[in-house]
Amino acid sequence: MKKRRDNEYHTTAMKTMKLWMMAAILTAAAAKIQLTAEEVARLEALADATGIDTRGGWEHSME
């Protein structure tokens, strides 16, 4: 029984480590994206039209 639990723990730990590695790779790739002013304006207009709040958690409302 203990061997089975150890194996399950190992499998879970490996899956978690792979997810963290994938997240790091995707974050690094996203950091390289550069949007033009036109693309930013389009995304902001789409967000406004759908009611999506695109502010970061550190930004406060100007209203």
Side-chain angles (χ1 to χ4, degrees), residues 23-36:
I25 291 167
L26 291 172
T27 300
K32 294 178 184 178
I33 294 173
Q34 293 185 359
L35 299 176
T36 65

Side-chain angles (χ1 to χ4, degrees), residues 31-45:
K32 294 178 184 178
I33 294 173
Q34 293 185 359
L35 299 176
T36 65
E38 186 177 293
E39 290 169 325
V40 171
R42 178 160 167 71
L43 288 172
E44 289 176 347

Side-chain angles (χ1 to χ4, degrees), residues 1-60:
M1 187 74 167
K2 184 179 182 323
K3 186 175 183 178
R4 182 176 178 192
R5 273 186 278 173
D6 288 346
N7 188 36
E8 289 173 1
Y9 173 79
H10 177 72
T11 301
T12 301
M14 291 299 293
K15 287 179 181 177
T16 301
M17 186 172 61
K18 286 179 183 178
L19 287 172
W20 277 106
M21 290 173 61
M22 288 172 36
I25 291 167
L26 291 172
T27 300
K32 294 178 184 178
I33 294 173
Q34 293 185 359
L35 299 176
T36 65
E38 186 177 293
E39 290 169 325
V40 171
R42 178 160 167 71
L43 288 172
E44 289 176 347
L46 289 169
D48 287 343
T50 57
I52 295 173
D53 183 2
T54 59
R55 291 177 306 197
W58 64 92
E59 297 178 287
H60 300 288

